[in-house]
Amino acid sequence: MNSKTSPAVDAGTRVPADGVAPWDVEITQGQILYASLTCFIAWVASVYDYTLFGTLLPVIAEDFGWTTAQATAVNTWATIGVFAISLIVGTILDRLGRKKALILLVIGGAISSGLSGLAAGVASMVIIRSFSGFAVSEEVVNSVYLNEIYKKAKNRGLMFSLVQSGWPVGALLAAFMVSWLLPTVGWRGSFFIAAAASIIVIVMALKLPESPVFAAMKEVERRRKAGDMQGAQQLAAQHDIEVDHGHDLGLKGVFTPELRKHTISLSLVWLLSWMAIQVFAVLGTTVLVEAKSVSFENSLQVLILANAVGFVGYLFHGWLGDRIGRRATVLIGFVLGGIASLAMLVGPSSDSFVYAMYALTLFFLLGPFAAMLFYMGESFPPQVRGMGANVAHVMAPIGAIIGSALVSVLLTLGLPMGTTAIIAGSLPLVISGLLMFGTRRVDHSAN
């Protein structure tokens, strides 16, 4: 951040007694580390809540007397609700600020967890689990907030990948806590504990600094509306902000001629890559058992290993993104992931080959998201950064729904699991990588 006092501060601007405007506040190394830790724990807690429902679904279904079809239907409708809730996150980010958005989303996740333990049936469970859309969208806040907090940090992509690695940590934590606590507290108590964990994050988030870039963005907007275009231009140039003229904000702002191709391409990347996530991560055991005749017990061991591989993948792609650019990293990673999954499905069925190719598939499927999320934050102008990142990100649950539905349809039509996984997983993953050619180039020379 530029530490110079802005020359255009006037009586209408709220400036602390020390005379340093909020958009000129220097973020210290200690604050960067604290923000990273807080966002990591927030993401772990969010993933914990999100994956906890899927982990507990068989137990919940048995308690309510749901059939397997009813249980999967509840999950599908809840996923649709997640999509609906996620739509408002971009507006929260760009209107209320990055810090407030983080706090509100964690509160939303805590409500989702706590009320899940009080659900009385299908309707209440679907409505309650829809609020987990706040928890899932927490990574959007991370991508925007940390992009701005890390503005002068070295190895920004690697730092963000460490935060984003909260996904496998949260998933492992949910699995461990269920196996440890379920016999004692039951599935309802498990959700109450998840809600309590979110409270810790809320307390930590209250001490976070607001993004100076967001403060500058709001001041530029205030000056423009007050008719001070010169002051707005000066402050915008100081903080690398693109000045809007009142018509390129909100949802319209991400579909202007300059951003339309980028927004559409990035949205499709999320949709198609999450089709592959549904096939190779969520339904990974089914694919391994049905397509490659791996025993169910061995498939569980492979999935446990996959979380460790995914963690390494996050770090590798974060590191690589700092060196060759995050756009190129995502492109290469997803294409290689698609090729690895194709090799696994059409290649020999020996355990060593299948396990190696599945590990590579998840390495290149999960890892690029560390680069992708940070890239989203840096590829949109500040005034629509939250909206742009959120518009693309909300395509993830849609991709999950389409991927799951396509698998069901193709299997019903009589196609074997191997062919089904290629059509619903491998091909979408390769295409998602190639679609990165339609996204904006970002200058990484400052890293």
Side-chain angles (χ1 to χ4, degrees):
M1 315 301 163
N2 194 318
S3 59
K4 297 178 181 179
T5 302
S6 173
V9 173
D10 58 29
T13 304
R14 299 178 62 184
V15 180
D18 60 7
V20 180
W23 50 89
D24 286 332
V25 172
E26 191 78 25
I27 300 298
T28 66
Q29 186 64 31
Q31 288 176 313
I32 290 175
L33 293 176
Y34 182 78
S36 300
L37 176 62
T38 302
C39 289
F40 171 78
I41 297 175
W43 184 223
V44 169
S46 297
V47 174
Y48 179 32
D49 167 75
Y50 183 67
T51 58
L52 186 63
F53 178 65
T55 304
L56 290 172
L57 188 56
V59 180
I60 296 171
E62 183 179 359
D63 189 29
F64 283 127
W66 297 340
T67 64
T68 302
Q70 287 174 321
T72 55
V74 168
N75 183 63
T76 300
W77 282 107
T79 304
I80 295 172
V82 166
F83 165 72
I85 292 294
S86 300
L87 291 174
I88 67 174
V89 172
T91 300
I92 294 173
L93 264 168
D94 289 335
R95 295 291 177 86
L96 300 183
R98 317 323 193 193
K99 175 182 176 179
K100 289 181 180 178
L102 176 60
I103 294 172
L104 288 173
L105 264 62
V106 174
I107 291 174
I111 292 173
S112 172
S113 296
L115 292 183
S116 293
L118 301 175
V122 171
S124 60
M125 183 63 81
V126 168
I127 294 172
I128 291 168
R129 292 311 302 171
S130 295
F131 283 92
S132 65
F134 287 117
V136 176
S137 298
E138 196 280 327
E139 67 177 342
V140 177
V141 180
N142 283 355
S143 72
V144 173
Y145 177 66
L146 294 179
N147 183 278
E148 296 172 352
I149 293 295
Y150 291 169
K151 196 172 180 67
K152 288 189 174 181
K154 298 293 184 181
N155 299 313
R156 300 185 301 157
L158 179 60
M159 290 174 63
F160 183 80
S161 70
L162 286 167
V163 175
Q164 183 59 21
S165 67
W167 177 280
V169 174
L172 281 173
L173 183 62
F176 171 74
M177 293 297 282
V178 166
S179 63
W180 182 38
L181 294 173
L182 186 61
T184 304
V185 301
W187 66 266
R188 295 183 185 274
S190 298
F191 280 116
F192 294 149
I193 291 173
S198 297
I199 295 174
I200 298 173
V201 182
I202 295 170
V203 174
M204 294 182 67
L206 289 172
K207 299 180 181 179
L208 288 173
E210 179 54 277
S211 160
V213 175
F214 174 77
M217 182 185 81
K218 300 305 288 184
E219 175 61 10
V220 167
E221 181 183 353
R222 188 197 66 79
R223 293 180 186 184
R224 182 190 62 77
K225 290 182 177 179
D228 182 13
M229 289 304 298
Q230 181 179 359
Q233 293 285 359
Q234 287 178 342
L235 186 58
Q238 181 182 337
H239 290 273
D240 300 320
I241 296 173
E242 299 176 23
V243 181
D244 70 272
H245 297 283
H247 63 276
D248 52 350
L249 292 174
L251 189 59
K252 290 183 179 179
V254 299
F255 288 103
T256 59
E258 297 80 12
L259 292 176
R260 185 182 301 123
K261 180 181 176 183
H262 172 67
T263 300
I264 294 173
S265 297
L266 199 57
S267 297
L268 290 175
V269 171
W270 272 96
L271 186 149
L272 292 168
S273 62
W274 264 70
M275 289 178 64
I277 287 283
Q278 190 72 14
V279 173
F280 296 116
V282 178
L283 299 176
T285 52
T286 303
V287 172
L288 290 172
V289 171
E290 299 295 333
K292 305 305 294 185
S293 300
V294 176
S295 70
F296 180 74
E297 291 74 16
N298 286 343
S299 71
L300 288 177
Q301 295 176 10
V302 174
L303 283 181
I304 292 173
L305 174 64
N307 281 300
V309 172
F311 181 86
V312 176
Y314 281 125
L315 300 187
F316 172 78
H317 287 86
W319 171 84
L320 185 64
D322 281 332
R323 282 147 184 80
I324 69 172
R326 282 167 271 281
R327 178 175 177 268
T329 297
V330 175
L331 192 160
I332 295 170
F334 282 162
V335 170
L336 290 179
I339 293 173
S341 66
L342 182 63
M344 177 191 73
L345 293 167
V346 302
S349 295
S350 65
D351 287 350
S352 58
F353 181 81
V354 172
Y355 295 172
M357 288 300 102
Y358 185 63
L360 279 177
T361 297
L362 293 182
F363 183 87
F364 289 116
L365 169 60
L366 302 178
F369 282 100
M372 171 115 97
L373 283 155
F374 198 78
Y375 167 76
M376 285 203 306
E378 65 188 357
S379 64
F380 284 100
Q383 67 270 18
V384 293
R385 183 166 287 154
M387 179 62 71
N390 191 59
V391 165
H393 185 265
V394 296
M395 300 305 289
I398 295 179
I401 294 168
I402 294 175
S404 180
L406 184 57
V407 168
S408 297
V409 169
L410 293 177
L411 292 176
T412 300
L413 292 176
L415 272 68
M417 176 56 81
T419 304
T420 295
I422 291 172
I423 296 173
S426 301
L427 292 180
L429 187 55
V430 171
I431 295 171
S432 70
L434 297 177
L435 280 168
M436 290 298 296
F437 281 117
T439 60
R440 297 177 92 193
R441 294 181 180 273
V442 176
D443 182 14
H444 294 273
S445 59
N447 294 338

